[in-house]
């Protein structure tokens, strides 16, 4: 490694986050509790600077830095912008409950570090860096899940941690197998050597690494932690955990399949099968849920299934990468919007928001837009994402997968409607106490963003057209 | 200009929602005014539309990276439907002047639906078409679930799930068309010119698109969502659902399935003919067995949509000459307009019945003609128009359908003509039960005659049906050139 001297400017967004995290930690240790909002502000500034730097970097040529271990290309660009924007939304959403909290600083710093980890996952062109990203994106989130130190959160964190540790080991075994098969950990080497390597060893290695990424994405069969964390953690944390790590993990999976192991036999088919299984499992399990957070958790599992369709089409369809990137952006804003409504009006049951349209029409409309957005109803962002992802899978000769996904979309409509319908009914149910203005503002912003992103999709899709760096 | 027509209702609807503390009365009148302005704009477009081909085109890049454009325009196939839609929405707005519950949301929702319906008929891009198609389902779901009666939640859910399944099938077919064209595009005009899919791929795309449209139309055996949706929807909702939303399916056959997949359409046209005839006879028979006035009308819609399918199927068969093809397509489009007007009127009339007596059960009424002569006369006129009596638009349409289909599929046409006999029987029976004999009404109900507002909403629909029935040339002159083009496209 030639060291940081090579081109530190290439990592400006990552550096912005890291600096904000470290400075926040230092500042937080002497700021009085009433002033800790300054740390949150610092985090927000870090994200904003990062977004600006990422946009500037995206206009430059794609390249790898640090000895080819980190790719600054379209894939990383979309991950950077979406992760930072999502983190910003979550920080704003946490505004209501977090201000004046005695561990406000810790919350912000852990959030920033986890976001940094997700970004590293998205950009890495080297299996060792992938492990580092995996750990950085995981460990802060274990702590954040148990942040409120209540029994539900603690139990969720334990489950999250145990499954995370297990899949971390699987990931490292996979890395070891690929290293043994291909004689290196960087993707270009693997791409060169794996076609001639023992197929079983290479396949086992791919399965292991992909399994680790599935845990981060929350896809089957590594999805068990998702509903518990979504229910047990604080709402902003739940929103973060079900959104941000996915972005890094899915871009990483795409990069792995597209750049490192296109030669591994059966890789695409495995991803396609996992996609079909994940979406079906998520949707079926969502049917019976009565808790909106668990419902969103299973919904997010099914969304991973749709997203994996683009990964399965990697390298075989022009729309695979734009589709994945756009879907991720649309998903992030929509999912955070739905959680923001829950943060604004906490409710333990789907019925808890009965009659919301009569009392808070704007918030109710925001929720409807987000939920219909998750279904993929036009003209929301996820519709364009689904359209591109379906087209990409169709183009990659995965028609069966598209049919499965269409059937799943239909099934998903049912449980989203179970939440939407009570909003318009009249009832004197006990109203949840509203939690400040910040979460409601985030919900409305996110819903508007989802619509705007869907209607003005072109610049984004266009910016995403291209290939990953090989 | 066209975009203004499409988005004007939406603008007004958003305005209604945004202005706080607007009294209900103002909301209702603003709604009527907005719909009237839109109808005036459509009339202006009709007057300004000259000759052949697509007029008033706007073609903007929307998401060119995915081959999606904002491409709208009108021709002889879409303009009549556009006008019918504007008329029917105005009628519903006037009819709803007596709406009392949650007026603001109701008006905004209908204005949204108007934008969506108009948008669909002017779309010349498959994804734009799909966007409006899907949004029509969302809008109608909230109309039924929010303002319906009876088991409305269940009916609305069934409607949503069933038609959403259709829209997903449609989307698969569209993606197939998109991928088969070089360069990839969703533009209808380009796809019609290229008709890229033949053979197995074309068959599969037609299967997906046909399934989606058949569910929306609806035809037997995909019609099961329709009766509960209609029965439990508010009267204005039923009128829009039957008058406008069903046409989205049949219009899709003429606009998308036939011209873009001509080879496959010709190969499988017999399937459309068979399904059409089955829908005609089955729909009429089941309607005959109904005791619920509104449900009966719902089933006659299945019957009437069957004629359209028969016509478009016959137009694809080899035996038919160019003249017969074009006649059948003309008949199909005329039937769409005619059915929209007449069924819209019938559903609004059934709403009058429900509003007075709180029931649609025909057995609980009797001899109403003595107490409510205007209501009885108007219902009788609508019923006769619906069964295809000469002098009304339905006759013109059905005559053309049969004349165009008789050559290529004589047996099927003969069976379909029986459908007219059945509808005549069922409407006469219904009229006798409700309006003749001794006076009877549900307990505690006093059945009063049509109010002025109701008459102003419904009578113009019947007058238009009469106008088309007596002087059809103004409509046919518009449809015929476009129908000829469509017939040529399917024959190539």
């Amino acid at each position: 490694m030639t060291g940081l001297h090579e081109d530190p400017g290439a990592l400006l967004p990552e550096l912005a986050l890291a600096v904000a995290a470290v400075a926040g930690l230092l500042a937080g240790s002497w700021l009085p509790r009433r002033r800790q909002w300054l740390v949150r502000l610092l985090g927000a500034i870090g994200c904003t600077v990062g977004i600006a730097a990422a946009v500037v970097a995206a206009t430059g040529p794609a390249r790898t830095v640090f000895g080819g271990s980190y790719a600054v290309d379209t894939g990383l660009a979309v991950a950077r912008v979406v992760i930072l924007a999502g983190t910003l939304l979550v920080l704003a959403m946490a505004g209501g409950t977090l201000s004046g909290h005695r561990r406000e600083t810790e919350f912000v710093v852990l959030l920033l570090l986890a976001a940094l980890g997700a970004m590293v996952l998205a950009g890495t062109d080297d299996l060792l860096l992938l492990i580092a990203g995996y750990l950085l994106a995981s460990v802060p989130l274990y702590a954040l899940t148990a942040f409120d130190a209540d029994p539900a959160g603690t139990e969720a964190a334990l489950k999250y941690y145990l499954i995370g540790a297990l899949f971390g080991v699987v990931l490292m075994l996979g890395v070891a197998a690929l290293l043994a098969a291909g004689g290196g950990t960087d993707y270009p080497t693997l791409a060169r050597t794996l076609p001639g390597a023992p197929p079983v060893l290479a396949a086992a290695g791919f399965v292991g690494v992909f399994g680790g990424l599935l845990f981060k994405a929350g896809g089957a069969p590594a999805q068990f932690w998702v509903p518990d964390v979504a229910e047990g953690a604080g709402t902003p944390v739940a929103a973060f955990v079900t959104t941000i790590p996915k972005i890094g993990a899915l871009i990483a999976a795409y990069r792995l399949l597209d750049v490192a192991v296109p030669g591994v036999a059966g890789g695409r088919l495995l991803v396609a099968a996992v996609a079909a299984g994940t979406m079906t499992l998520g949707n079926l399990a969502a049917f019976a849920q009565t808790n909106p957070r668990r419902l969103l958790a299973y919904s997010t599992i099914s969304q991973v299934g749709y997203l994996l369709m683009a990964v399965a089409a990697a390298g075989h369809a022009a729309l695979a990468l734009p589709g994945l990137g756009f879907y991720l952006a649309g998903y992030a804003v929509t999912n955070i919007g739905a959680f923001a409504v829950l943060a604004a009006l906490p409710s333990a049951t789907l019925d808890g928001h009965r009659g919301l349209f009569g009392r808070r029409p704007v918030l109710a409309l925001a929720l409807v837009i987000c939920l219909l957005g998750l279904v993929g109803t036009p003209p929301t962002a996820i519709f364009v994402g689904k359209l591109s992802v379906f087209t990409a899978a169709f183009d990659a000769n995965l028609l069966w997968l598209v049919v499965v996904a269409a059937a799943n979309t239909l099934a998903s409509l049912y449980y989203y409607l179970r939440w939407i319908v009570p909003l318009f009914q009249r009832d004197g149910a006990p109203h949840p106490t509203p939690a400040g203005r910040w979460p409601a503002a985030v919900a409305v912003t996110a819903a508007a963003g989802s619509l705007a992103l869907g209607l003005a999709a072109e610049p984004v899709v266009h910016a995403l057209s291209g290939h990953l760096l090989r | 200009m066209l975009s203004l027509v499409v988005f004007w209702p939406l603008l007004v609807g958003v305005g209604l929602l945004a202005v706080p503390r607007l009294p209900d009365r103002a909301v209702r009148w603003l709604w009527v005014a907005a719909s009237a302005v839109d109808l005036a704009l459509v009339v202006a477009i009709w007057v300004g539309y000259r000759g052949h081909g697509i007029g008033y085109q706007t073609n903007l890049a929307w998401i060119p990276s995915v081959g999606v454009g904002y491409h709208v325009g009108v021709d002889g196939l879409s303009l009549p439907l556009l006008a019918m839609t504007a008329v029917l929405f105005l009628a519903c707005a006037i009819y709803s002047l007596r709406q009392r519950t949650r007026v603001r949301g109701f008006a905004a929702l209908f204005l949204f639906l108007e934008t969506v319906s108009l948008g669909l008929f002017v779309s010349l891009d498959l994804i734009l078409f799909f966007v409006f198609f899907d949004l029509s389902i969302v809008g109608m779901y909230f109309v039924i679930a929010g303002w319906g009666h009876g088991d409305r939640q269940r009916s609305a859910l069934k409607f949503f799930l069933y038609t959403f399944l259709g829209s997903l099938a449609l989307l698969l077919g569209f993606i197939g068309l998109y991928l088969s064209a070089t360069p990839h595009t969703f533009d209808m005009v380009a796809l019609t010119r290229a008709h890229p899919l033949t053979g197995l791929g074309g068959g599969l795309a037609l299967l997906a698109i046909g399934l989606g449209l058949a569910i929306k139309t609806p035809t037997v055996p995909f019609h099961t969502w329709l009766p509960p949706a209609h029965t439990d929807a508010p009267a204005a909702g039923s009128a829009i659902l039957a008058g406008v939303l069903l046409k989205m399916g049949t219009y899709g056959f003429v606009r998308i399935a036939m011209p873009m997949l001509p080879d496959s359409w010709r190969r499988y046209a017999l399937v459309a003919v068979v399904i059409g005839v089955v829908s005609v006879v089955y729909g009429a028979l089941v309607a005959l067995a109904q005791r619920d006035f509104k449900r009966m009308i719902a089933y006659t819609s299945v019957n009437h949509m069957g004629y359209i399918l028969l016509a478009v199927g016959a137009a694809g068969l080899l035996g038919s000459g160019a003249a017969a093809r074009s006649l059948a397509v003309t008949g199909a489009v005329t039937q769409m307009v005619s059915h929209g007007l007449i069924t819209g009127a019938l559903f609004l009339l059934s709403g009058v019945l429900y509003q007075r007596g709180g029931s649609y059960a025909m057995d609980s009424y009797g001899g109403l003609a003595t107490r409510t002569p205007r209501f009885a006369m108007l219902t009788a006129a609508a019923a006769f128009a619906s069964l295809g009596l000469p002098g009304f638009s339905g006759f013109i349409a059905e005559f053309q359908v049969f004349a165009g289909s008789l050559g290529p599929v004589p047996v099927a046409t003969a069976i379909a003509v029986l459908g007219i006999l059945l509808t005549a029987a069922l409407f006469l029976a219904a009229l006798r039960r409700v309006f003749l004999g001794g006076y009877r009404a549900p307990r505690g109900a006093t059945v009063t005659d049509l109010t002025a507002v109701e008459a102003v909403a419904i009578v113009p629909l019947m007058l238009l049906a009469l106008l088309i029935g007596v002087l059809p040339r103004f409509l046919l002159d518009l449809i015929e050139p476009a129908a000829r083009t469509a017939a040529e496209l399917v024959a190539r």
Side-chain angles (χ1 to χ4, degrees):
Chain A
M1 206 182 221
T2 36
L4 217 62
H5 306 293
E6 189 178 331
D7 186 4
L11 290 189
L12 223 47
E14 285 82 354
L15 286 176
L17 265 191
V19 168
V22 173
L25 196 60
L26 292 176
S29 56
W30 55 265
L31 275 175
R33 195 195 288 185
R34 278 179 300 105
R35 292 279 171 75
Q36 294 210 345
W37 59 268
L38 280 168
V39 178
R40 202 144 37 92
L41 183 66
L42 192 65
I45 292 173
C47 289
T48 315
V49 170
I51 291 174
V55 170
V56 170
T59 56
R63 59 207 164 127
T64 57
V65 290
F66 305 115
S69 64
Y70 202 71
V72 183
D73 58 8
T74 317
L76 180 64
V78 61
R80 279 171 167 172
V81 174
V82 177
I83 287 171
L84 290 169
T87 308
L88 209 52
L89 282 176
V90 173
L91 276 176
M93 192 203 300
T97 47
L98 195 61
S99 48
H101 195 284
R102 72 193 152 81
R103 284 175 288 137
E104 187 173 354
T105 301
E106 284 91 322
F107 184 95
V108 175
V109 170
L110 288 172
L111 212 60
L112 296 179
L113 288 177
L116 181 60
M119 266 155 69
V120 171
L121 275 180
T124 177
D125 246 348
D126 190 297
L127 291 174
L128 294 177
L129 199 55
L130 187 71
I131 295 178
Y134 177 94
L135 292 175
L136 189 54
S138 299
V139 176
L141 292 180
Y142 303 146
L144 276 178
T145 304
F147 190 72
D148 290 338
D150 53 353
T154 314
E155 189 188 327
L158 192 63
K159 194 163 186 180
Y160 192 17
Y161 169 71
L162 286 176
I163 298 176
L166 173 67
F167 277 92
V169 171
V170 169
L171 171 75
M172 288 177 211
L173 285 175
V175 170
L178 283 182
L179 173 63
T185 57
D186 58 317
Y187 290 3
T189 307
L190 288 172
R192 210 173 49 248
T193 54
L194 280 182
V200 176
L201 195 58
F206 171 69
V207 169
V209 176
F210 184 58
L213 292 175
L214 270 182
F215 163 76
K216 279 279 77 185
Q223 89 293 2
F224 295 103
W225 57 274
V226 180
D228 293 305
V229 172
E231 191 185 4
T235 315
V237 177
F240 188 90
V241 170
T242 55
T243 312
I244 304 297
K246 254 187 207 39
I247 300 161
L250 286 163
I251 300 270
Y254 187 98
R255 198 182 289 283
L256 184 73
L257 200 66
D258 190 35
V259 180
V261 299
V264 170
R268 282 180 65 219
L269 197 62
L270 174 77
V271 177
V274 168
T278 300
M279 63 177 84
T280 310
L281 190 142
N283 280 326
L284 291 184
F287 275 115
Q289 301 306 321
T290 54
N291 181 322
R293 289 216 208 163
R294 289 187 82 86
L295 184 109
L296 280 181
Y298 283 108
S299 130
T300 183
I301 293 172
S302 73
Q303 301 284 344
V304 175
Y306 305 129
L307 284 157
L308 281 172
M309 291 169 73
V311 178
H316 291 260
L319 272 176
L321 184 61
L324 177 66
F326 194 88
Y327 199 138
L328 280 171
Y331 169 75
V333 67
T334 314
N335 193 51
I336 290 177
F339 270 106
V341 174
L342 277 181
L345 292 171
S347 164
T349 61
L350 290 178
D351 260 4
H353 292 148
R354 187 178 290 272
L356 184 65
F357 185 71
R359 300 192 304 276
R360 306 273 302 268
V362 177
L363 196 61
L365 276 184
L367 181 59
V368 169
I369 290 172
C370 286
L371 292 179
L372 286 179
L374 287 172
V375 178
T377 310
T380 59
I382 290 188
F383 167 67
V384 181
K386 262 194 177 163
L387 176 67
S388 340
V389 167
F390 280 21
T391 307
F394 203 133
D395 207 7
N397 288 323
L398 293 167
L399 180 58
W400 65 271
L401 187 58
V402 182
V403 173
V404 170
N408 264 291
T409 303
L410 183 70
S412 74
L413 183 61
Y414 178 77
Y415 59 82
Y416 292 119
L417 281 179
R418 282 184 56 215
W419 193 356
I420 293 178
V421 169
L423 301 179
F424 295 90
Q425 291 172 342
R426 259 184 284 192
D427 194 83
H431 305 164
T433 19
R437 290 201 181 153
W438 279 97
V442 171
V444 173
T445 311
S450 166
L451 271 183
L453 194 58
L455 287 172
E458 172 53 22
V460 183
V461 180
H462 184 75
L464 291 172
S465 304
H467 297 283
L468 292 186
L469 212 57
R470 284 159 204 274
Chain B
M1 177 74 174
L2 218 44
S3 304
L4 178 67
V5 169
V6 171
F7 291 105
W8 162 253
L10 183 67
L11 269 175
V12 177
V14 170
L16 286 185
L17 284 184
V19 179
R21 299 195 190 291
L22 214 52
D24 282 358
R25 197 181 147 74
V27 170
R28 285 192 289 262
W29 282 105
L30 274 174
W31 176 16
V32 171
S35 291
V37 168
D38 219 34
L39 178 60
L41 288 173
V42 172
V43 169
I45 282 184
W46 187 316
V47 172
Y49 176 74
R50 286 275 164 268
H52 307 292
I54 299 166
Y56 295 97
Q57 273 197 81
T58 310
N59 193 355
L60 303 171
W62 180 15
I63 320 177
S65 309
V66 205
V68 179
Y70 176 79
H71 191 178
V72 295
V74 285
D75 64 1
L77 299 180
S78 47
L79 196 44
L81 289 168
L82 204 64
M84 185 270 286
T85 304
V87 168
L88 207 53
F89 270 100
L90 178 58
C92 286
I94 297 174
Y95 181 86
S96 302
L97 279 174
R98 62 179 177 78
Q99 176 82 28
R100 290 288 176 272
T101 47
R102 286 172 288 163
V103 178
R104 214 211 286 245
F106 196 68
L109 205 49
F110 267 77
L111 288 165
F112 168 77
L113 269 174
E114 183 165 5
T115 285
V116 167
S117 308
L118 296 171
L120 181 124
F121 292 125
V122 302
S123 293
L124 291 175
D125 183 281
L126 289 178
I127 291 303
L128 197 60
F129 182 93
F130 180 82
V131 168
F132 289 127
F133 192 93
D134 238 19
L135 287 177
S136 77
I137 302 173
V138 174
M140 187 47 75
Y141 170 80
F142 285 118
V143 169
I144 300 175
W147 285 268
H149 38 250
D151 196 2
R152 59 199 169 128
Q153 302 292 353
R154 205 183 145 78
S155 303
L157 184 65
K158 190 172 181 183
F159 161 77
F160 201 145
L161 289 181
Y162 221 130
T163 45
F164 200 73
L165 171 71
S167 84
L168 288 170
L170 207 57
L171 186 62
L172 288 189
F174 288 176
I175 293 178
L177 279 173
Y178 165 80
L179 288 174
S180 64
T182 31
H184 294 345
T185 179
F186 283 109
D187 191 87
M188 289 192 196
V189 178
L191 283 170
T192 304
R193 206 181 300 124
H195 74 98
L197 267 178
T198 54
L200 180 66
L204 284 176
L206 184 61
L207 179 68
I209 293 175
L211 180 69
L213 297 175
I215 290 177
K216 186 90 176 181
T217 298
T219 62
V220 177
F222 307 112
H223 65 285
T224 49
W225 61 266
L226 179 96
H230 269 309
T231 314
D232 296 338
S238 297
I240 295 303
L241 179 56
V244 179
L245 264 55
L246 301 194
K247 306 305 174 306
M248 296 181 174
T250 52
Y251 173 75
F253 280 113
V254 184
R255 171 66 71 198
I256 296 169
M258 282 171 60
M260 289 182 205
L261 296 158
D263 302 298
S264 314
W265 184 263
R266 285 200 304 272
R267 182 175 303 170
Y268 301 107
L270 205 56
V271 178
V273 169
V274 170
I275 291 179
V277 172
V278 170
S279 299
V280 165
V281 176
Y282 181 85
L285 282 176
V286 180
L288 191 60
Q290 296 306 314
R291 299 183 159 277
D292 179 316
F293 187 67
K294 205 175 182 189
R295 225 175 155 80
M296 179 193 84
I297 302 170
Y299 274 109
T300 62
S301 293
V302 177
N303 159 279
H304 282 87
M305 294 299 105
Y307 296 126
I308 297 178
L309 222 63
L310 167 69
V312 293
L317 284 171
L318 281 177
S320 51
R325 279 178 206 274
S326 135
L327 194 59
V329 176
T330 310
V333 177
T334 315
Q335 173 75 321
M336 291 182 213
V337 176
S338 156
H339 179 259
L341 296 173
I342 297 170
T343 303
L346 274 171
F347 273 120
L348 293 183
L349 286 165
S350 77
V352 173
L353 192 68
Y354 185 84
Q355 200 260 336
R356 306 291 195 272
S359 164
Y360 294 119
M362 288 188 271
D363 287 342
S364 47
Y365 298 93
L368 295 191
T370 49
R371 306 275 180 102
T372 61
R374 289 192 299 263
F375 179 48
M377 243 175 58
L378 206 57
T379 311
F384 282 119
S386 180
L387 63 83
L389 197 73
F392 284 109
S393 56
F395 173 74
I396 306 285
E398 281 158 29
F399 179 76
Q400 287 175 320
V401 167
F402 292 138
S405 312
L406 194 60
V409 281
V411 179
T413 310
I415 299 174
V417 173
L418 279 181
I420 297 210
L421 209 61
L422 287 171
T423 37
L426 71 93
F427 271 118
L428 291 177
L431 289 177
R432 182 181 55 76
R433 275 199 232 174
V434 176
F435 292 107
L436 305 179
Y439 176 79
R440 201 162 31 153
R443 192 183 298 271
T446 44
V447 182
T448 51
D449 210 350
L450 284 188
T451 62
V453 164
E454 285 160 351
V456 169
I458 300 169
V459 168
L461 297 177
M462 294 314 304
L463 286 180
L464 272 175
L466 191 66
L467 179 68
I468 297 173
V470 180
L471 301 165
R473 277 326 315 171
F474 80 97
L475 180 64
L476 296 183
D477 285 343
L478 180 67
I479 299 176
E480 269 163 4
R484 207 173 307 127
T485 314
E488 280 162 14
L489 284 172
V490 79
R492 67 196 151 136

